[in-house]
Amino acid sequence: MSLKNINPTKTQAWKNLSDHYQGFASFSIKKAFENDANRKKRFTIEQGDLTLDYSKNRIDQETMDLLVQLADEVALKDAIEKYFSGEAINETEKRAVLHTALRSSSKEPLKVGKKDIRPEIARTLRKIKSFSNEVISGKWKGYTGKSITDIVNIGIGGSDLGPDMIVEALQFYKNQLNTHFVSNIDGDHVSEVIKKLDPETTLFVIVSKTFTTQETLTNANTIKNWFLKSASQFDIAKHFVAVSTNLDAISEFGIDGNNVFPMWNWVGGRFSLWSAVGLSISLSVGFNNFRELLDGAEEMDLHFKNESFDKNVPVILALLSIWYNNFFKAETEAILPYTQYLTKLAPYLQQAIMESNGKSVDRNGEVVDYQTGTIVWGSTGTNMQHAFMQLVHQGTKLIPADFIGYQQSLHGLSDHHKKLMANFNAQMDALAFGKTLEEVHLELKTSGNVNDIATLMPYKVFEGNKPSNSIIFNNLTPKSLGKLVSMYEHKIFVQGVIWNIYSYDQFGVELGKELAKKLLNNA
Ligand SMILES: O=P(O)(O)OC[C@H]1O[C@](O)(CO)[C@@H](O)[C@@H]1O
C-alpha cells in the first residue's frame, strides 16, 4: 500500500497557516517571552537525556496547533505506520525503507515480501561482532602473520559519510586501530592515505551497496594493485572484506566469500550506517559501542513512532522547518554542534537531507508549485562564531539554526566546557533577542564614545528575532549519538510526507554519472 497522495497546499491547515502567517510580520520572539513567563516550558520537550527547547522560534501556540493539524491532514500517522512496517514506501524503486529494523530489538517477525528479515539482521550483527572482536583483539592476522593496525573504509556517499562521521564523533571511545576513509575519485586522496600504510597490517573494507560505483571501484582497484606489489592474490582474503548487495561483483573482484557482509535493498545508502556499512565503526570503537549506537537510534524510533505529534521531537523539528521554508521562504538551515567531535555532522546531514528531499515532482508525478528540501550547512561552535555567524546575526537572510550541545564534556575540562556552553546559550540569546537602538545608544554613551554615537549606532544594532532550536544531551555517548542521527532521519521522513514527494530515491545524481561515463568513453 502506498503513502497517501495529498497536496499539502490544498489542506485546510495550509490555508489557515497562510492566514496565520500574515499576522506574523510583527511577531517578536522577545515580546513573546515578555508576555509569557511559561514560554520556555511550553515549548520544551524532554525525551530521556535529550531536551529540545524550541521556544526561540517565531511561533505561538496557534502556529504549533496548525502545524500539527497539517501533519494530521497529510496522514502522517498512517505514513509512519507504513514506514515502520515495511510497506514499499520507496515507490519509484519499489522498495521498503527499513533502516529502523536494523536497530530494532523487537522479536516480532518483520516481512519484506514473504521473508522475515529479522533473522538475517541478527546473523549479520553476529558476524560484525565476531569479525570486529577478532581484528581488535589481534587474532586476525595479515599475510605475514602480523595483527591489523589500520582499517581503510573505501566507499562514497552513504557508504562513507555515515561511518566517517560516526568514527570521528566517537574518537573518545576508540581503540588502538587507526581508521581511514578513502572516497574521492581524485587519486590524490587514495595516494595520501596509502602512503602512510603498511600492506602487512592494513585491512580494507570496500563498502558499496551496488558495487558499481565508479569512485569506489577505482579506488579499490588502485589499492588492490598497490597491495599486490608486496603480496599475492591468495593474500587478498586476509586483507579485503566487502559490504554489498552485489555478490557476483564482489567475487569477481576476488574477495573471499567468507569476507562478505550483506546489504539489503530495503536500506537506502544514506541511511545505512546501522548495517554492515557501519563495520568500520564497530572495528574502531568495538561492537558493544556499535550496539549502543543502534540502541540510541531505536530509542528515538520508538519515541517517534509512539509519541503524539505535539510532543514528538522529529515531528516538531520537521514542522518548524516547514514553517520557515514554506511560509517565511527561508532557503537554508544551519546545523551548529557545540562539540569538536561533530565536525562531520553537517556534511553527513547534507547527503541525508538534500539527497532525500531535493525533489520537485510530487507523488502524483506532477511538478510541485511549493518549496521542498531545505539547503543545510553548518560547522562546529565556537569556531564558526568567528567565521560565518556575522551573516546569521546581521545579514539579510533568515537562517533557522539547530544548536546541538552537551551538558558535560568528555575530557572533563570544566573551565573549557563552561565557556563553551556560555557561548552556546549566548548565541541563541543574541539571535533571538538582539540589541535595540536604545541599548546601543546607552552602551556607546557609557563607554564614553560620545562623538561616534550617531555614526556607529545603526551598525551595532542586532535586529534579533532569529529562530533557533536548542538540542541538548547529557553527554556524547554512542547511545546519544544514535538518537541524534535517528532524530534527523525521522525529520527527513516527516518533511517528505508533508511535501508529498518520494524521499528515498536519488535519480538526480544519475545524469552527471552517465555524462561522465560518455565523456570518458569518447576521450
Ligand atoms: O554504496 P554505493 O552503491 O557505492 O553508492 C554510493 C552512493 O551513491 C549514491 O547512490 C548516489 O550518489 C548514494 O545514494 C550512495 O550513498
Side-chain angles (χ1 to χ4, degrees):
M1 264 198 314
S2 44
L3 293 182
K4 299 236 161 74
N5 184 350
I6 299 166
N7 180 335
T9 64
K10 302 282 184 276
T11 60
Q12 188 56 47
W14 195 280
K15 287 183 194 107
N16 294 349
L17 278 163
S18 304
D19 294 342
H20 178 68
Y21 171 73
Q22 298 311 318
F24 257 73
S26 59
F27 181 88
S28 149
I29 299 175
K30 191 174 179 180
K31 284 206 190 98
F33 269 95
E34 283 163 7
N35 295 337
D36 180 5
N38 219 14
R39 183 175 172 88
K40 187 176 160 73
K41 199 163 164 229
R42 184 191 309 284
F43 296 125
T44 290
I45 302 173
E46 307 224 347
Q47 196 290 314
D49 63 338
L50 160 67
T51 305
L52 165 67
D53 172 357
Y54 61 102
S55 59
K56 293 191 184 77
N57 277 289
R58 292 196 201 171
I59 51 160
D60 59 17
Q61 192 55 55
E62 192 185 349
T63 323
M64 295 317 297
D65 293 345
L66 289 174
L67 287 167
V68 167
Q69 186 191 329
L70 175 64
D72 288 333
E73 280 190 61
V74 298
L76 178 61
K77 196 78 207 160
D78 172 74
I80 294 174
E81 226 17 77
K82 288 175 175 155
Y83 173 35
F84 278 85
S85 62
E87 303 273 345
I89 61 166
N90 175 0
E91 283 185 52
T92 46
E93 296 181 322
K94 299 196 170 49
R95 290 174 186 167
V97 177
L98 276 174
H99 44 277
T100 50
L102 299 169
R103 56 242 189 170
S104 166
S105 53
S106 166
K107 300 278 175 285
E108 290 281 300
L110 178 58
K111 292 198 172 162
V112 172
K114 293 211 170 86
K115 198 170 170 197
D116 180 9
I117 59 171
R118 303 257 196 234
E120 47 185 330
I121 296 173
R123 225 176 7 254
T124 306
L125 281 171
R126 283 197 296 274
K127 186 167 169 145
I128 296 174
K129 181 177 180 180
S130 66
F131 182 72
S132 306
N133 286 347
E134 266 197 71
V135 175
I136 297 166
S137 66
K139 262 204 217 149
W140 182 282
K141 303 287 186 213
Y143 69 96
T144 56
K146 292 183 185 163
S147 299
I148 298 299
T149 57
D150 289 76
I151 308 293
V152 180
N153 187 96
I154 311 167
I156 196 163
S159 300
D160 164 74
L161 289 162
D164 192 10
M165 182 273 287
I166 301 278
V167 166
E168 171 89 14
L170 296 182
Q171 265 179 74
F172 184 78
Y173 303 88
K174 251 179 76 52
N175 53 37
Q176 80 285 0
L177 298 171
N178 304 307
T179 317
H180 316 264
F181 290 83
V182 172
S183 52
N184 203 325
I185 192 81
D186 176 2
D188 290 342
H189 191 186
V190 64
S191 305
E192 282 299 330
V193 172
I194 50 180
K195 82 179 187 195
K196 298 170 224 147
L197 299 174
D198 178 351
E200 293 178 39
T201 57
T202 304
L203 179 81
F204 298 97
V205 184
I206 310 175
V207 187
S208 177
K209 186 173 160 185
T210 55
F211 225 81
T212 57
T213 305
Q214 188 190 50
E215 290 91 338
T216 303
L217 293 189
T218 308
N219 282 325
N221 277 308
T222 300
I223 285 177
K224 186 167 81 171
N225 292 337
W226 168 83
F227 177 78
L228 290 176
K229 279 187 198 152
S230 44
S232 72
Q233 190 74 29
F234 175 76
D235 300 325
I236 287 184
K238 297 196 170 80
H239 291 267
F240 287 79
V241 302
V243 184
S244 185
T245 54
N246 189 346
L247 302 183
D248 293 343
I250 296 178
S251 94
E252 205 175 298
F253 186 88
I255 289 182
D256 190 294
N258 293 323
N259 294 355
V260 177
F261 292 78
M263 258 287 270
W264 304 283
N265 275 337
W266 39 264
V267 182
R270 52 193 175 274
F271 302 98
S272 62
L273 70 88
W274 323 99
S275 70
V277 169
L279 185 60
S280 52
I281 303 172
S282 178
L283 287 165
S284 171
V285 296
F287 182 80
N288 288 348
N289 282 320
F290 183 63
R291 183 65 250 182
E292 289 271 304
L293 183 82
L294 303 187
D295 291 347
E298 182 185 27
E299 195 180 316
M300 180 53 70
D301 294 342
L302 295 174
H303 164 79
F304 173 61
K305 195 169 168 224
N306 300 325
E307 191 53 87
S308 62
F309 292 162
D310 60 339
K311 295 188 194 65
N312 192 312
V313 174
V315 172
I316 293 294
L317 290 174
L319 292 173
L320 288 167
S321 169
I322 286 192
W323 178 229
Y324 295 116
N325 184 64
N326 293 92
F327 296 90
F328 288 81
K329 309 292 180 215
E331 295 213 318
T332 81
E333 284 172 16
I335 305 209
L336 311 174
Y338 272 63
T339 162
Q340 197 57 23
Y341 290 117
L342 289 181
T343 314
K344 293 183 175 167
L345 182 65
Y348 163 76
L349 287 177
Q350 281 174 329
Q351 187 206 14
I353 295 172
M354 291 160 80
E355 196 164 274
S356 298
N357 285 336
K359 313 286 165 65
S360 51
V361 174
D362 70 11
R363 292 203 286 267
N364 232 352
E366 295 187 356
V367 175
V368 295
D369 57 1
Y370 48 87
Q371 287 293 315
T372 63
T374 44
I375 300 164
V376 292
W377 55 280
S379 178
T380 50
T382 57
N383 296 34
M384 54 67 178
Q385 293 177 196
H386 303 269
F388 52 68
M389 283 308 282
Q390 164 67 36
L391 185 144
V392 184
H393 284 289
Q394 285 190 318
T396 53
K397 294 180 173 59
L398 181 71
I399 303 171
D402 284 353
F403 283 75
I404 300 162
Y406 295 86
Q407 304 280 15
Q408 288 152 23
S409 75
L410 291 180
H411 285 279
L413 291 177
S414 60
D415 172 53
H416 284 256
H417 200 65
K418 255 191 238 151
K419 289 173 183 165
L420 178 75
M421 292 314 280
N423 276 282
F424 175 87
N425 289 312
Q427 286 296 315
M428 284 183 288
D429 284 352
L431 288 169
F433 307 129
K435 197 192 266 184
T436 63
L437 203 62
E438 294 72 37
E439 286 167 332
V440 173
H441 187 260
L442 186 68
E443 198 179 273
L444 287 169
K445 220 167 115 186
T446 44
S447 71
N449 212 343
V450 188
N451 294 339
D452 295 332
I453 290 184
T455 7
L456 284 181
M457 263 199 334
Y459 302 106
K460 296 211 161 218
V461 169
F462 281 66
E463 191 193 6
N465 221 17
K466 310 262 198 272
S468 64
N469 295 310
S470 156
I471 299 163
I472 297 195
F473 292 90
N474 287 348
N475 43 31
L476 203 169
T477 59
K479 200 165 181 184
S480 70
L481 183 61
K483 227 163 136 174
L484 176 76
V485 176
S486 161
M487 176 190 88
Y488 278 112
E489 288 180 342
H490 298 316
K491 176 184 171 185
I492 293 167
F493 169 81
V494 173
Q495 293 192 295
V497 170
I498 295 180
W499 287 323
N500 202 31
I501 54 177
Y502 289 120
S503 300
Y504 297 100
D505 58 26
Q506 57 284 318
F507 298 120
V509 301
E510 294 305 326
L511 179 59
K513 288 187 197 171
E514 281 164 29
L515 294 180
K517 260 190 212 150
K518 267 195 203 149
L519 288 173
L520 268 177
N521 291 340
N522 295 339

